């Protein structure tokens, strides 16, 4: 019983159990003491004279009768004392439970304040501190320890953000230089065929590097939660735009598209990052599909969550491998290299963006083969008028 439940409940039970134990001991002592007869003969006291006209046997019988009544009265008094003590013990146990709960609340109140303040602190407001005032006791020591941890985390996050910003500039500069060098080499009069072939291969690799760098920057931004442009975003509009942009690739792969997007699916968050989420899911469904396969795209909203579901056909996948696809550079199979243009960051970026928005990502291997990806985001409550009407009529 003491191992489960809250600390307040355990404190209350311990306090009441301690009081109950001490009360039982006190009650037992009272009962024992009430049954002890303290009768002694006074020293030097003469025997009680027999009343005139009464024989000695009759007097002794009367004395025994009086002693019996006295013993009975003494027993009744002990029983009443025991019963009264038992009732008082029951009442005091109830009062001790209430008092124990009150004392537990008073003792744990600083801990609840620390817990509530810690929950409010995230990557966006690591500069906040608990700053608990009071005597230098265990609670203040705990709060100071948490403040020290937050200070170290803030310094670490700032260092990572600076590193991401500096790395973006440092890496994009040589990429731009390489592209310019290729343009100069190809722009020369009558370039050699080998030069053109080499330039084409280098451009392809530079595009992959650029795509990888862009993915790393988006992943770092999403993991740090460094965005403040939270507005109502239509998942249906994002899905239509992403599918329209990749319509040529869908047709080139001979893929059958089944799209059922509802206009009432609205989430609240960064439009840029959520657009990247939807586009990554579309790209993943196209790239990791079989020739002549199919894609099923749907959105819905129950008023609490806005969901986006992408299903694809294909071979039967192992759920253990599918669960790892949300990590950076994880791909199906043992190979570290994926299809052309695949950096292994697509679903990890989706996972980071969804988590930063307070949503959840579900990756499920379909028993018939293929993959089912479900993105659930908190539904937007402050919708534009047209969107609100669409949600009501849907």
């Amino acid at each position: 019983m003491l191992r489960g439940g809250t600390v307040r409940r355990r404190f209350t039970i311990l306090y009441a159990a301690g009081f109950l134990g001490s009360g039982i001991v006190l009650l037992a002592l009272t009962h024992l003491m009430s049954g002890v007869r303290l009768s002694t003969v006074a020293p030097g006291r003469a025997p009680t004279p027999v009343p005139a006209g009464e024989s000695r046997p009759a007097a002794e019988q009367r004395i025994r009768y009086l002693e019996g009544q006295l013993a009975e009265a003494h027993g009744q008094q002990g029983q009443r004392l025991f019963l009264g003590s038992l009732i008082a013990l029951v009442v005091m146990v109830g009062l001790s439970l209430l008092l124990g709960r009150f004392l537990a609340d008073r003792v744990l109140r600083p801990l609840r304040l620390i817990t509530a303040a810690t929950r409010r602190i995230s990557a966006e407001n690591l500069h906040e501190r608990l700053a608990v005032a009071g005597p230098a006791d265990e609670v203040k020591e705990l709060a100071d320890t948490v403040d020290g941890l937050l200070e170290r985390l803030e310094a670490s996050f700032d260092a990572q953000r600076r590193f991401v910003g500096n790395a973006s500039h440092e890496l994009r500069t040589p990429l731009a230089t390489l592209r310019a060098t290729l343009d100069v080499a190809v722009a020369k009069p009558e370039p050699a065929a080998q030069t053109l072939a080499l330039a084409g291969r280098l451009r392809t690799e530079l595009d992959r590097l650029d795509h990888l760098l862009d993915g790393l920057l988006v992943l770092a931004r999403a993991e740090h939660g460094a965005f403040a442009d939270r507005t109502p975003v239509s998942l249906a509009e994002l899905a239509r735009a992403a599918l329209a942009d990749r319509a040529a690739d869908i047709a080139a792969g001979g893929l059958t598209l089944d799209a059922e997007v509802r206009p009432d699916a609205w989430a609240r968050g960064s439009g840029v990052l959520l657009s990247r989420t939807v586009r990554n899911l579309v790209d993943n469904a196209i790239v990791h599909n079989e020739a002549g396969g199919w894609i099923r795209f749907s959105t819905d909203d129950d008023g609490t969550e806005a969901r986006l579901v992408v299903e694809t056909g294909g071979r039967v996948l192992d759920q253990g491998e599918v669960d790892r696809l949300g990590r950076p550079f994880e791909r199906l199979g043992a190979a570290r290299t994926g299809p052309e243009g695949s950096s292994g960051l697509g679903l990890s970026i989706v996972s980071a963006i969804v988590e930063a928005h307070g949503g959840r990502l579900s990756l499920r291997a379909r028993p018939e083969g293929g993959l089912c990806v479900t993105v659930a985001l908190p539904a937007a409550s402050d919708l534009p008028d047209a969107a609100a009407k669409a949600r009501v009529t849907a």
Side-chain angles (χ1 to χ4, degrees):
M1 182 183 296
L2 292 180
R3 294 183 179 179
T6 61
V7 177
R8 182 179 67 175
R9 181 182 301 173
R10 294 198 293 269
F11 276 180
T12 304
I13 294 175
L14 286 174
Y15 183 84
F19 180 85
L20 179 61
S22 61
I24 291 175
V25 172
L26 180 62
L27 185 61
L29 292 176
T30 303
H31 179 66
L32 291 176
M33 294 298 293
S34 64
V36 176
R37 294 186 177 181
L38 301 177
S39 59
T40 59
V41 178
R45 183 176 181 181
T48 305
V50 178
E54 185 177 1
S55 63
R56 191 171 190 84
E60 292 178 354
Q61 184 178 2
R62 182 176 179 81
I63 291 173
R64 285 194 297 270
Y65 173 74
L66 293 175
E67 288 179 347
Q69 286 187 332
L70 181 61
E72 183 180 357
H74 189 274
Q76 292 178 355
Q77 182 181 6
Q79 290 179 358
R80 287 194 297 269
L81 179 61
F82 179 78
L83 182 60
S85 301
L86 185 61
I87 295 175
L89 178 62
V90 172
V91 173
M92 288 305 298
V93 167
L95 293 178
S96 66
L97 287 173
L98 297 177
L99 182 60
R101 183 168 182 174
F102 173 75
L103 293 177
D105 286 340
R106 291 294 302 270
V107 172
L108 297 177
R109 184 171 179 272
L111 295 181
R112 288 198 299 270
L113 294 177
I114 292 176
T115 302
T118 305
R119 285 176 178 172
R120 290 195 302 268
I121 298 176
S122 62
E124 298 178 0
N125 55 349
L126 278 176
H127 62 279
E128 295 186 8
R129 297 292 181 268
L130 302 180
V132 174
D137 54 6
E138 289 81 357
V139 175
K140 191 173 189 312
E141 183 179 359
L142 174 62
D144 293 341
T145 302
V146 174
D147 285 340
L149 175 62
L150 293 175
E151 185 176 356
R152 292 191 296 272
L153 287 175
E154 182 184 14
S156 177
F157 272 62
D158 289 341
Q160 290 185 10
R161 290 191 181 101
R162 287 193 300 269
F163 173 79
V164 170
N166 294 333
S168 64
H169 291 291
E170 295 295 332
L171 291 177
R172 289 188 183 279
T173 299
L175 287 177
T177 303
L178 289 174
R179 290 182 185 277
T181 303
L182 288 177
D183 292 339
V184 171
V186 174
K188 291 182 178 180
E190 298 181 359
Q194 295 180 348
T195 302
L196 294 177
L198 178 62
R201 290 196 297 270
L202 288 177
R203 285 184 181 278
T204 301
E205 294 302 320
L206 288 175
D207 290 339
R208 295 189 64 178
L209 284 174
D210 198 16
H211 181 70
L212 175 61
L213 175 60
D214 181 61
L216 288 173
L217 294 177
V218 174
L219 180 61
R221 183 189 177 195
E223 288 181 341
H224 290 164
F227 58 93
D229 51 335
R230 292 179 179 267
T231 57
V233 179
S234 172
L235 296 183
E237 292 298 328
L238 296 181
R240 293 191 187 98
L243 292 173
D245 290 344
R246 298 302 301 273
D249 296 322
I250 294 174
L255 302 176
T256 302
L257 176 63
D258 180 13
E260 183 182 355
V261 291
R262 299 175 54 181
D264 61 325
W266 285 74
R268 183 173 181 82
S270 169
V272 175
L273 292 181
L274 292 180
S275 175
R276 181 61 180 268
T277 298
V278 177
R279 292 177 183 276
N280 279 13
L281 293 178
V282 173
D283 293 343
N284 186 78
I286 295 174
V287 174
H288 302 282
N289 210 323
E290 57 185 1
W294 56 271
I295 302 174
R296 185 177 298 119
F297 219 94
S298 63
T299 61
D300 65 89
D301 191 329
D302 60 2
T304 303
E305 285 185 337
R307 286 182 294 270
L308 174 69
V309 181
V310 182
E311 292 184 86
T312 57
R315 63 183 178 89
V316 177
L317 305 175
D318 179 69
Q319 185 62 43
E321 294 184 353
V322 170
D323 292 337
R324 295 194 299 269
L325 291 179
R327 306 173 186 173
F329 305 110
E330 287 286 348
R331 303 179 179 88
L332 292 175
R336 293 288 294 177
T337 57
E340 185 71 20
S342 174
S343 61
L345 292 175
L347 290 179
S348 62
I349 292 175
V350 172
S351 178
I353 294 175
V354 170
E355 184 177 355
H357 283 78
R360 52 187 175 87
L361 173 67
S362 173
L363 303 174
R364 180 176 59 86
R366 301 179 70 254
E368 306 85 359
L371 183 65
C372 177
V373 181
T374 302
V375 172
L377 298 168
S381 56
D382 50 340
L383 300 179
D385 293 338
K389 293 179 181 179
R391 173 175 288 181
V392 172
T393 57

